Amino acid sequence: MAVVLDKSHRWRVVLAHIAIIGFICLIMFPFLMIFSISIRPGNFATGSIIPQTISLEHWALAFGYSYQGPDGGLMEPQFPVLLWLWNSVKVALLSAFIGVVLSTTCAYAFARMQFMFKKSMMNGLLLIQMFPTVLALVAIYTIFDRIGSYVPWLGIESHGGLILAYTGGIAVHIWTIKGYFETIPVEIEEAAKVDGATAFQSFRYVILPMIVPILMVVFLLAFISGINEYPVASILLKSTDNLTLAVGVKNYLYPQKYLWGDFAAAAILSGLPITIVFLFAQKWMISGLTAGGVKG
Amino acid sequence: MSRSLEKIGQQLVSAVVVLFGLYVVAKIYMAGQFIVALACLAVLASGVFVYTSSRAYSYRYLFPGLMATLVFVVFPIVYTFAISFTNYSSRNLLTLERATQYFLEQTYTVEGGQSYAFTLHRDGRAFRVRLEDEQGAVFVSPPLALYKGPIIIEAQVPAAGEAPLGEPVDTKTLISYLPNLKLVSFQLPNGHLLSVTGLRQYGAVSKLYKANADGSLTNQQDHSVLTPNKKTGFFETSSGEQLTPGYTTQVGWSQYTKIFSDVSFSEPFFRIFVWTVTFAGLTVLFAFSVGIVLAVLMEWEALRGRAFYQTMFFIPYTVPAFISILIFKGLFNQNTGEINQILEMLFGLHLSWFSTPFLAKSMLLIVNTWLGFPYMMVVSMGLIKAIPTDLYEASAIAGAGPLTNFFRITLPLIVKPIMPLLIASFAFNFNNVMLIMLLTGGRPDFLDTKVPAGSTDLLVSFTYRIAFEDSGANFGLAAAISTVLFLMVMVLSLINMRLTKVNAQEAR
């Protein structure tokens, strides 16, 4: 920008840096605190923000090892954090996979084909994807309760049921993938047709390999929302070994049994891998979010 | 050759799929779920049509996605509407048939009836029961699985040449099978019905109720009549006393009239509604304000290290929300929390974040702004990039400062395209049940309301509490509130779609 800069400009830059660094300290404060708490002995605040003695007891418990307390007593892990993490990852991976598989061909048809009711179906999908699942919790609970009395592995307290319930995010996926299909020129399929490919062959062998990137994005978004989902999991899962991370970790902070230090270690242990995945996928996520995300 | 083989293979697979589908439908029908079976049959039939008819070619692509949307999204919504017109709750859980069946299974011990000592004997993997009355007459049951009941078995006098039963099982085994035995009744050759009355005793019992043709039940003991009341969903005696379990019945609009005209209910509902709107609105306002200021800074070319800053700002968004919310819950803790420690150290303040309504609300807004600003920043950055730079050059020539630039150029140009996202964010936070449930649980509760409701409850968390936390588990009422919320979200969504459309047209 070829604009003459006045003297105050440099000061403004310095001020901005200071303000930004101050703000970063502020927003990072919870993470710094939680780290310090996780290496501080005991489950209660002992008066100092920066720990004087470092203890790995909470970490040992988080990894599932027992630990000898200061009074010589045996401290055993209260909750299976790693199992919860595994449950979360399992449910999120499977539901994301099912969601992508079910939505891909549908998105293709919406982007490329002509059929009856296309316009109204698309508007319907757009409207549906704005509805939050929380509002159907009662129905979801009842449905899975009923299913469970005939097919136990799809009922309440089953991961199968939870995976099915998460498939409800499919309308958003269809919308996102459809947008990507529209950026691919139609000429590519026409060329395939000229070479003698059937409609399905041109989809399967020509178009599908080209849209792998958006499928990855959608998969990742579905995975993330699966990991982060709380309300549905909290009504479908009850027993400790079945919980996903999102519903499990809150058990550390019951007023009657307040395990602040143990929570800190468990939160870092389980949250860090997820956070790394998110950060790693940051660029993809942003493109997917701005394309039509509802989260805020 | 291989082509035709492939075709045969395909046909075989589809035949298997269709047959399996029909088997499932038959199973569901036999389980007594007529409507569900019909719906499954419709799905199956449309599937067969779509994948065989050449006219429906494009629907072959649509089928998986559309069916999934219908089953997993539309059906739960419609089902919610349906539940909202019933009294479905923990007191009215069963269907009328199941409730009637429950009453018909009730028995009472016949006064002055014989009692029978019994022993349980293993017979291979099955069990046999030996009954002996006070006069020494012996009856023996056929081999029983003892898996589930209820069931009525005929017990016979053992035949003369029959091999004697083995040793009776020990007490521990007997106790472990007692719940199963309780479901088994024995019919003696003389017509007497026996049920377990003690650990080693069967007694003569009789069915307590007899079904009448009009659906009412007659008590065999005192000859009173129970009539099912279609309005309340309970079997009632002539004096109007309700007997549990109740059954689910249609109650029309009464759940809705309860929300809007029952004062003990509509008053907290309205209070919560006001807070819900305030919460969602302020969250969007705060998150957007922080987000756009940061976005403007991140687009300022004179600033070095912007990529690093940007990553740092994005971190709150990448940490799973359920973890950061709980971290805040601990940090804000009134007695042991680190935030209160610091405040006490610096200003001598001791704030009760969780028990003062105003502080609890402020805490929610602080946490939610922290969670939401990175998204607003990223979105605003994209939009700021699209503003032509010559606008800023012109304003620099006119001698305008950064504040003027922000309020006269950046903000006005951004407001319109970002509006749909702000509305979507408003709608999301309107229903942000996770934040409330994990941070405050809706508390501190109002002291002056009959229904459990809290000053930080959003309408959804209020619904959640009615359905899943309150001991009443009033699903019907929760579904009715959900339906009202559906309509509100629908209005928001329609406004949003209209705005998006207008924006898209202007961009052309």
Side-chain angles (χ1 to χ4, degrees), chain B residues 119-188:
Chain B
T119 43
L120 187 65
H121 303 261
R122 274 192 195 279
D123 184 353
R125 290 180 60 199
F127 292 94
R128 298 181 71 172
V129 177
R130 179 179 182 278
L131 300 156
E132 184 175 347
D133 73 6
E134 285 149 17
Q135 285 78 38
V138 172
F139 304 93
V140 175
S141 78
L144 304 169
L146 291 187
Y147 284 156
K148 53 186 171 188
I151 192 168
I152 296 175
I153 307 282
E154 281 183 22
Q156 303 287 348
V157 179
E162 200 178 335
L165 297 171
E167 281 293 302
V169 297
D170 54 40
T171 313
K172 201 176 150 202
T173 320
L174 180 62
I175 290 172
S176 71
Y177 277 96
L178 206 59
N180 308 48
L181 276 173
K182 279 193 173 143
L183 299 170
V184 180
S185 305
F186 292 108
Q187 179 117 46
L188 297 186

Side-chain angles (χ1 to χ4, degrees), chain B residues 468-491:
Chain B
F468 302 108
E469 288 195 342
D470 185 13
S471 56
N474 199 335
F475 295 124
L477 185 62
I481 303 178
S482 292
T483 308
V484 174
L485 289 177
F486 265 128
L487 295 179
M488 293 181 189
V489 174
M490 175 114 103
V491 170

Side-chain angles (χ1 to χ4, degrees), chain A residues 1 3 9 12-13 16-17 20-21 23-24 27-31 33-34 37 40 45 47 49 102 105-106 108-110 113-116 121 123 125-128 130-132 134-139 141-143 146 150 164 167-168 170 199-200 203 227-228 230-231 234-235 245-246 249-250 253 258 260 263 267 270-271 274-275 278-279 282 285-286 289 293-296, chain B residues 31 33 57-59 61-62 64-66 68-69 72-77 79-80 83 88 290 294 297-298 300 302-304 309 311-323 326-331 333 336 338-339 341-342 370 372-373 375 378-379 393 396 402 421 424-425 428-429 431 433-434 437-438 460 464 467-468 475 478 482 485-486 489-490 493-494 497:
Chain A
M1 203 155 73
V3 179
H9 184 261
R12 264 194 265 143
V13 173
H17 274 290
I20 287 175
I21 290 169
F23 188 71
I24 287 179
I27 59 170
M28 286 299 147
F29 166 76
F31 299 128
M33 273 326 302
I34 209 72
I37 290 157
R40 184 172 78 182
I49 305 290
L102 288 177
T105 57
C106 190
Y108 179 68
F110 274 122
M113 295 178 177
Q114 292 305 322
F115 47 86
M116 272 193 295
M121 273 190 208
N123 280 334
L125 267 186
L126 194 62
L127 210 57
I128 282 170
M130 293 178 186
F131 277 125
V134 246
L135 294 185
L137 277 186
V138 171
Y141 179 81
T142 315
I143 291 169
R146 298 258 158 96
Y150 301 106
L164 278 192
T167 312
I170 191 169
F200 184 71
F203 167 72
I227 294 260
N228 276 335
Y230 172 80
S234 77
I235 57 160
L245 202 55
V249 280
K250 77 159 195 276
L253 296 184
Y258 194 73
W260 188 214
F263 164 77
S270 54
I274 303 171
T275 308
F278 289 9
L279 266 181
Q282 186 188 347
M285 273 173 63
I286 293 171
L289 288 174
V294 192
K295 201 185 164 184
Chain B
Q33 301 282 343
Y57 184 77
S58 42
Y59 284 92
Y61 290 83
L62 289 169
L66 285 188
T69 315
F72 297 122
V73 189
V74 179
F75 177 61
I77 295 176
Y79 202 52
T80 308
I83 293 175
Y88 188 43
V290 177
L294 292 179
L297 283 174
M298 289 302 104
W300 191 16
L303 213 59
R304 292 226 188 123
Y309 289 154
T311 314
M312 294 307 273
F313 289 144
F314 201 65
I315 282 179
Y317 197 76
T318 56
V319 175
F322 60 89
I323 286 184
L326 288 172
I327 292 178
F328 275 109
K329 184 178 178 177
L331 291 178
N333 188 298
T336 60
E338 279 68 14
I339 289 179
Q341 277 184 42
I342 293 174
W370 186 90
F373 83 86
Y375 171 77
V378 169
V379 173
E393 284 166 23
L421 290 168
S425 171
F428 174 83
N429 285 300
N431 295 312
V433 72
M434 175 157 94
M437 292 327 293
L438 287 183
V460 259
Y464 185 97
F468 302 108
F475 295 124
S482 292
L485 289 177
F486 265 128
V489 174
M490 175 114 103
S493 305
L494 285 174
M497 274 167 80

Side-chain angles (χ1 to χ4, degrees), chain B residues 408-426:
Chain B
R408 291 294 173 82
I409 302 176
T410 315
L411 205 55
L413 281 174
I414 259 187
V415 159
K416 220 172 191 183
I418 211 171
M419 215 39 172
L421 290 168
L422 294 188
I423 295 178
S425 171
F426 180 88

